[in-house]
């Protein structure tokens, strides 16, 4: 069997990106090689540098180039609040709101028994140890509202409450600017039960 060509290797590498199939990967590869070789070099260098220099924060598990990320190193944040998210992207989204000033714990996943991902794999024990710190008064569970995210929040909430730690969940409801008749029934039902 012949070894794959450099072009085939590039296409296969691009297919690893979420939502990128064969045709999209081919289109990107041809574009970079035909129209933007300097951009391709820049992308390759940035990817190489990132994979070598970016790891995980030892305290919260988000991406960081140092032992502790900037948020965990910020002593001005509210140590009474600990927000649990599934991914560093979720943490970044919450940070962009500018409305949360506590610390984070990034699970790097969510429970998925069918895929063999249990509480141990998402770092539940480490979360419980961190939440048991005396200054933590509330753990905000900000997992996604998928079946796996809901299960993750439920299991973590039960574990936290059994240890006397206050656990809350992000509210769900009707998006701002939406018309009620176009909102799905599940969202309306949760908005009614979570009303304030």
């Amino acid at each position: 069997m012949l070894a794959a060509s450099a072009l085939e290797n590039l296409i296969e590498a691009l297919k690893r990106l979420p939502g990128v199939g064969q045709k999209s990967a081919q289109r990107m590869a041809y574009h970079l090689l035909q129209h933007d070789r300097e951009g391709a070099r820049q992308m390759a260098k940035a990817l190489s540098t990132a994979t070598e220099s970016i790891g995980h924060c030892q305290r919260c598990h988000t991406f960081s180039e140092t032992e502790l990320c900037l948020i965990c190193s910020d002593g001005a944040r509210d140590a009474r609040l600990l927000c649990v998210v599934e991914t560093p992207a979720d943490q970044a989204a919450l940070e962009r709101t500018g409305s949360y000033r506590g610390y984070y714990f990034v699970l790097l996943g969510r429970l998925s028994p069918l895929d063999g991902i249990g509480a141990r794999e998402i770092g539940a024990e480490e979360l419980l140890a961190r939440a048991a710190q005396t200054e933590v008064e509330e753990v905000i569970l900000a997992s996604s509202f998928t079946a796996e995210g809901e299960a993750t929040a439920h299991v973590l909430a039960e574990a936290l409450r059994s240890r006397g730690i206050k656990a809350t969940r992000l509210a769900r409801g009707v998006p701002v600017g939406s018309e009620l008749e176009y909102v799905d029934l599940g969202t309306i039902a949760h908005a009614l039960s979570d009303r304030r």
Side-chain angles (χ1 to χ4, degrees):
M1 178 169 229
L2 296 174
S5 71
L7 178 59
E8 289 168 336
N9 286 337
L10 175 58
I11 292 168
E12 285 303 311
L14 290 168
K15 282 174 42 180
R16 296 180 72 106
L17 294 169
V20 177
Q22 179 71 28
K23 288 187 179 188
S24 294
Q26 271 183 308
R27 205 168 28 255
M28 285 186 246
Y30 288 135
H31 171 80
L32 288 169
L33 294 173
Q34 185 173 355
H35 301 291
D36 195 7
R37 285 194 179 238
E38 183 52 39
R41 284 185 201 90
Q42 185 178 359
M43 188 181 302
K45 183 178 178 184
L47 279 169
S48 179
T49 301
T51 58
E52 294 301 318
S53 64
I54 297 174
H56 292 282
C57 173
Q58 289 187 355
R59 189 167 186 223
C60 75
H61 301 147
T62 197
F63 293 132
S64 179
E65 293 184 53
T66 56
E67 191 173 297
L68 288 181
C69 69
L70 292 174
I71 292 172
C72 287
S73 299
D74 183 354
R77 295 189 76 102
D78 190 347
R80 297 171 299 164
L81 299 173
L82 182 63
C83 185
V84 179
V85 295
E86 293 176 6
T87 67
D90 295 338
Q91 177 194 8
L94 283 169
E95 276 299 290
R96 283 192 305 271
T97 70
S99 61
Y100 178 72
R101 294 296 305 156
Y103 291 104
Y104 292 93
F105 187 89
V106 182
L107 296 171
L108 299 175
R110 56 183 170 230
L111 295 177
S112 182
L114 294 176
D115 297 321
I117 301 172
R120 178 176 292 143
E121 287 76 23
I122 63 171
E125 290 177 25
E126 191 176 342
L127 167 63
L128 294 173
R130 175 129 180 244
Q133 294 175 346
T134 55
E135 64 266 23
V136 175
E137 294 177 9
E138 178 183 359
V139 175
I140 303 164
L141 300 169
S143 59
S144 62
F145 290 102
T146 62
E148 293 91 354
E150 290 284 0
T152 301
H154 177 74
V155 167
L156 294 177
E158 291 298 315
L160 289 161
R161 289 181 188 131
S162 73
R163 289 164 174 76
I165 301 166
K166 180 181 179 183
T168 58
R169 182 82 166 107
L170 285 183
R172 301 168 275 211
V174 179
V176 174
S178 63
E179 295 184 34
L180 202 54
E181 68 180 294
Y182 300 114
V183 176
D184 69 278
L185 298 178
T187 299
I188 293 173
H190 284 296
L192 280 169
S193 66
D194 294 342
R195 70 187 183 280
R196 54 181 170 114

